[in-house]
Amino acid sequence: LAATSNLLVVGAFIFRKTEVDSRFLLGKGQLSELVVHCLQAGADLLIFDGELSPAQVKALADYTEIKIIDRTQLILDIFARRAITKEGKIQVELAQLQYLLPRLITKNTAMSRLTGGIGGRGPGETKLEINRRRVRERITLLSRELKDIRRQRKERRKKRINRCLPIISIVGYTNAGKSTLLNALTKSHIRVDNWLFVTLDTTSRQLRLGRGEIIISDTVGFIKDLPEDLFQTFAATLEELQEADLLIHVADISNERLEDQIESVNKVLESLDLNTTHTILALNKIDRLDSNQIAHLARD
């Protein structure tokens, strides 16, 4: 995620704790050690895996001058870079504001360092001066706009169903090669890149099979422990999957966390009540492995 945001990672630390510190997340000694390492390495940004509570953000910002963000902000930052369509921008801004609202504390230095730059860019970038009332008003407005988009999507889906065209949706972990597969099947030119979350919007194309035609759709990639706000905000996009007659689950066979990624995608599909939809598991990127590894994984 950090590399996708063009960050130079100068160090990574894993702290094992029997009990999470409600104030700093880490123990005070561990936090001091971490800050010293940051200063020695010349780091100006500290990213915590997992989500920090508003109180933890404030306590950590009071403890050190280094800018602090969590995993959710990093994902939102990537989404803000990737959002191109009106719907994509609305979804990202809404998710950013919903994340920001409980963290808006007047005259808090954490917030002034939280906005702007990594973890605070894009269509939803918000200045500290904007108070809670204005943020709530903006959330209401964006939710209304998103509702309208959902209604339009429903109408388009109805037309497709009336035409009796089978619908296939490509799903999978982010950067597994879903858009590349859609391009290969339909001779399209959807943007592809070796980064996370290149696709944020659902793209549908028609594909001729024998004498008939089908609709094939590319969807936003999933990720392990997708933040709840993001999941709710992108529900409009994921609704497309409800109409699918078949899911193609694309998995990156060359990734050492292959089984974890397959499990993460299955969990998201289960939460969307799609675990009963017929699914084909497509193992992708076999060119990165030798024939023995491929045969072993295919057997599994």
Side-chain angles (χ1 to χ4, degrees):
L1 288 169
T4 300
S5 257
N6 294 331
L7 289 170
L8 173 64
V9 179
V10 292
F13 290 88
I14 296 173
F15 292 103
R16 306 196 185 281
K17 294 187 67 62
T18 48
E19 210 176 294
V20 173
D21 188 298
S22 59
R23 190 175 173 212
F24 291 120
L25 190 68
L26 305 171
K28 217 164 183 184
Q30 291 173 327
L31 184 59
S32 300
E33 185 190 334
L34 187 60
V35 170
V36 168
H37 278 294
C38 285
L39 294 171
Q40 286 172 341
D44 51 12
L45 178 66
L46 195 51
I47 307 168
F48 282 84
D49 190 22
E51 194 168 309
L52 295 170
S53 70
Q56 285 168 341
V57 171
K58 185 180 185 312
L60 287 164
D62 288 342
Y63 188 85
T64 173
E65 284 297 307
I66 299 166
K67 181 176 173 178
I68 290 158
I69 65 169
D70 59 19
R71 183 172 178 270
T72 303
Q73 277 175 274
L74 192 56
I75 293 173
L76 284 169
D77 181 79
I78 296 165
F79 275 37
R81 288 166 181 254
R82 300 282 188 259
I84 296 166
T85 63
K86 185 188 175 187
E87 181 186 2
K89 287 178 179 179
I90 289 171
Q91 288 178 134
V92 173
E93 183 175 356
L94 189 55
Q96 284 181 322
L97 290 174
Q98 284 170 338
Y99 175 88
L100 195 62
L101 186 60
R103 291 162 177 81
L104 274 176
I105 304 157
T106 319
K107 292 177 183 170
N108 179 8
T109 54
M111 283 306 307
S112 58
R113 292 208 294 277
L114 189 146
T115 53
I118 300 293
R121 79 175 76 245
E125 186 169 351
T126 311
K127 295 283 185 289
L128 179 60
E129 292 75 39
I130 297 178
N131 59 30
R132 281 191 175 89
R133 183 180 54 81
R134 284 179 64 192
V135 170
R136 284 198 191 97
E137 284 169 2
R138 184 76 182 146
I139 287 172
T140 305
L141 178 70
L142 292 171
S143 300
R144 209 176 295 138
E145 285 185 42
L146 213 50
K147 214 173 267 180
D148 290 340
I149 289 169
R150 272 177 131 154
R151 200 163 41 243
Q152 289 162 15
R153 274 183 180 276
K154 219 171 192 174
E155 290 303 314
R156 286 202 297 272
R157 283 203 299 273
K158 225 179 267 178
K159 284 176 188 172
R160 286 208 296 256
I161 292 163
N162 290 341
R163 287 171 65 195
C164 296
L165 291 178
I167 297 168
I168 294 176
S169 287
I170 304 172
V171 297
Y173 210 81
T174 180
N175 200 29
K178 298 179 295 299
S179 300
T180 305
L181 177 60
L182 184 66
N183 283 342
L185 289 171
T186 62
K187 295 182 173 58
S188 302
H189 301 285
I190 298 156
R191 186 191 164 196
V192 294
D193 224 326
N194 190 25
W195 292 113
L196 308 183
F197 300 116
V198 172
T199 304
L200 280 192
D201 303 288
T202 300
T203 309
S204 299
R205 295 286 184 270
Q206 278 184 283
L207 173 65
R208 184 167 286 282
L209 277 182
R211 292 179 182 178
E213 283 188 340
I214 61 167
I215 299 283
I216 187 159
S217 301
D218 181 22
T219 54
V220 62
F222 301 151
I223 195 167
K224 189 180 179 184
D225 302 327
L226 187 71
E228 187 61 28
D229 280 350
L230 274 180
F231 190 79
Q232 294 302 328
T233 307
F234 278 79
T237 304
L238 296 172
E239 269 178 6
E240 293 276 312
L241 300 175
Q242 304 290 346
E243 311 297 333
D245 300 291
L246 171 70
L247 300 176
I248 300 175
H249 177 174
V250 179
D252 176 1
I253 200 172
S254 69
N255 195 295
E256 56 189 27
R257 290 178 52 246
L258 171 68
E259 287 183 24
D260 282 351
Q261 293 187 350
I262 289 171
E263 183 58 31
S264 294
V265 172
N266 287 340
K267 276 182 183 170
V268 175
L269 294 176
E270 204 174 306
S271 67
L272 294 166
D273 295 325
L274 293 167
N275 45 328
T276 54
T277 305
H278 188 65
T279 306
I280 294 171
L281 179 63
L283 300 175
N284 193 26
K285 305 191 185 184
I286 63 166
D287 51 301
R288 293 185 173 186
L289 299 178
D290 63 44
S291 53
N292 289 336
Q293 288 172 300
I294 293 165
H296 175 70
L297 283 164
R299 268 199 308 275
D300 285 351

